[in-house]
Amino acid sequence: MKVREIVELFEKSIHELGKMADSLNDGYATFVLNKHINYSNVCESKCPICAYHSDNGFTKSVDEVVREALEAVKLGVKELHIVGSHNPELGVEYFEEIFRKISEKSDAVIKALTATEVYYYSKKEKMSVREFLSRLKEAGLKMLPGGGAEILAERVRRIISPRKASAERWLKVMKIAHSLGIKSNATMLFGHVESYRDIAIHLYRLRKLQEKTNGFVSFIPLLYHPENTKLGGEKASAVKILKTIAVSRIVLDDFKGIKAYWVMLGEDLATLALNYGANDVDGTVLGEKIAHSAGAKTPRAMTVERLVKMIKRAGKIPAERDSFFNVIRCYE
Ligand code: V47
């Protein structure tokens, strides 16, 4: 599939795209019991799209992060999504200690550090990305989340995240992670200054890398929230959101999951998205802060009952999954 062909998909009607995308899924929609933990919001990059960084920000101690993680595990959480910022005071040993202490006491999957964080901290430590990731894998890191991808086209990155790792570098970090046996997700932040062609380039680059490594598990189209950001702007329309999700499913047909991330879409649109190519609603997402700093009005977390209800409303069969999209339990 060429970039031009992906752009042309957006010319189809929303109904046609929805039908095409939905036919690629199997009737199930999944979720995971997860918690987000942000270790810091002190950030050198200060991206214009982000409302989370702060000059008077916080940094949690190793023990605070570990305590938060283990408390969540006690409640049944099976995936710990640990991300933060580009903090000049932190380095490899901080993360090693966190991951080691958590994995000594629990089997929860540690999904931590976006590719841009990996690039930032490895550079700061004057280590290769391979060495940095190998050390963290040894300490218990199991998977990389998909954040920091924004739009993988330099024209857009120069506007929305000018000081962050380039598109090339984001992809390179993922390639190295996959070669080390560390699976990952991929995101795309859309609904700001990008064109359909930029989205097409983003999807094309992910598809190409997946053909080489098969290391991506799921894709998360993230709806841009403009509140409290330097870039500002308006939220994208529901039609654009659903078309983008449907095109993502069609182009990334060898990604196991396409997430309807309820935190950013809201419950109603996330439910609808399950008929437009999405086959997962992410999860309970205890502790989310990044979207809520930028004006998301969704709840702070979800119960399993509510997720199951949401999926049933969409006419799909709910199933709990693990981080790698293996089904654990169906709610038929
Ligand atoms: O990397 C920043 C984005 C991401 C805004 O891998 C914004 O399973 C909307 O990566 N409006 C963090 N989005 C979220 C993320 C994620 C979420 C859920 C699941 C997974 C996964 C990953 O949020 C950042 C950035 O791309 N972001 N600012 C904003 N104003």
Side-chain angles (χ1 to χ4, degrees):
M1 199 180 266
K2 299 197 172 86
V3 170
R4 183 179 40 79
E5 289 169 320
I6 303 173
V7 176
E8 279 166 10
L9 282 174
F10 281 100
E11 288 161 18
K12 293 188 187 295
S13 79
I14 182 168
H15 307 294
E16 201 180 338
L17 281 176
K19 251 187 170 170
M20 281 169 77
D22 194 41
S23 73
L24 296 169
N25 289 332
D26 63 2
Y28 285 82
T30 50
F31 62 87
V32 66
L33 303 185
N34 62 348
K35 170 160 175 80
H36 284 205
I37 301 177
N38 299 113
Y39 59 82
S40 176
N41 66 347
V42 176
C43 192
E44 269 199 331
S45 296
K46 300 183 173 60
C47 297
I49 39 115
C50 177
Y52 187 60
H53 65 261
S54 163
D55 288 337
N56 314 306
F58 68 87
T59 303
K60 290 178 186 164
S61 68
V62 167
D63 287 344
E64 278 175 293
V65 177
V66 174
R67 196 178 329 117
E68 219 179 302
L70 296 179
E71 275 169 15
V73 171
K74 263 197 212 144
L75 296 174
V77 159
K78 294 182 184 143
E79 175 185 280
L80 298 161
H81 174 118
I82 305 174
V83 297
S85 53
H86 303 156
N87 182 332
E89 301 298 322
L90 301 176
V92 67
E93 285 170 10
Y94 172 80
F95 298 111
E96 269 181 328
E97 220 182 317
I98 290 175
F99 301 164
R100 188 157 291 130
K101 284 188 164 169
I102 294 174
S103 24
E104 272 168 9
K105 296 225 163 98
S106 95
D107 291 331
V109 169
I110 300 178
K111 182 183 80 175
L113 301 185
T114 64
T116 54
E117 283 166 275
V118 169
Y119 177 73
Y120 174 85
Y121 290 115
S122 58
K123 193 167 160 218
K124 190 188 154 258
E125 295 281 27
K126 299 189 173 52
M127 287 165 90
S128 70
V129 166
R130 184 169 291 279
E131 190 188 346
F132 180 82
L133 282 175
S134 301
R135 276 181 62 170
L136 295 186
K137 185 182 176 194
E138 181 70 30
L141 175 71
K142 292 282 187 308
M143 187 175 186
L144 297 188
E150 321 310 3
I151 292 280
L152 296 169
E154 282 326 313
R155 180 193 84 79
V156 181
R157 285 181 102 73
R158 274 197 289 276
I159 303 168
I160 67 169
S161 54
R163 283 177 291 274
K164 220 149 71 172
S166 65
E168 210 63 61
R169 287 193 169 121
W170 188 95
L171 289 159
K172 189 92 182 279
V173 169
M174 287 308 190
K175 193 171 173 194
I176 294 168
H178 297 170
S179 78
L180 289 168
I182 303 171
K183 297 270 183 196
S184 79
N185 291 332
T187 59
M188 173 175 74
L189 181 68
F190 72 100
H192 40 81
V193 301
E194 87 288 352
S195 63
Y196 283 137
R197 189 178 146 75
D198 296 317
I199 290 180
I201 292 170
H202 184 98
L203 296 175
Y204 175 84
R205 298 186 92 172
L206 290 178
R207 186 180 158 101
K208 283 282 155 211
L209 184 53
Q210 180 74 332
E211 277 170 12
K212 283 200 189 116
T213 68
N214 201 28
F216 288 117
V217 179
S218 78
F219 178 68
I220 310 105
L222 297 169
L223 172 64
Y224 171 61
H225 281 55
E227 235 175 78
N228 307 319
T229 67
K230 196 160 171 237
L231 187 72
E234 300 280 324
K235 259 198 223 162
S237 71
V239 170
K240 180 171 183 175
I241 294 167
L242 292 176
K243 274 193 163 186
T244 303
I245 292 171
V247 170
S248 304
R249 169 75 290 173
I250 295 164
V251 179
L252 303 178
D253 56 357
D254 55 354
F255 279 53
K256 287 188 177 155
I258 302 289
K259 294 187 185 180
Y261 188 44
W262 62 262
V263 175
M264 293 189 190
L265 296 179
E267 279 177 76
D268 285 345
L269 202 50
T271 306
L272 200 53
L274 294 177
N275 284 285
Y276 286 80
N279 63 346
D280 184 87
V281 291
D282 196 75
T284 46
V285 200
L286 285 99
E288 202 289 327
K289 300 229 168 44
I290 296 173
H292 287 98
S293 312
K297 302 287 183 290
T298 42
R300 291 286 165 163
M302 281 273 191
T303 59
V304 169
E305 290 71 30
R306 204 154 159 181
L307 292 170
V308 166
K309 217 167 153 187
M310 207 166 122
I311 294 169
K312 283 190 171 164
R313 263 207 294 149
K316 304 290 177 188
I317 306 164
E320 184 192 335
R321 62 161 173 87
D322 67 13
S323 302
F324 307 100
F325 275 69
N326 300 304
V327 168
I328 298 172
R329 176 181 169 190
C330 290
Y331 289 76
E332 306 235 15

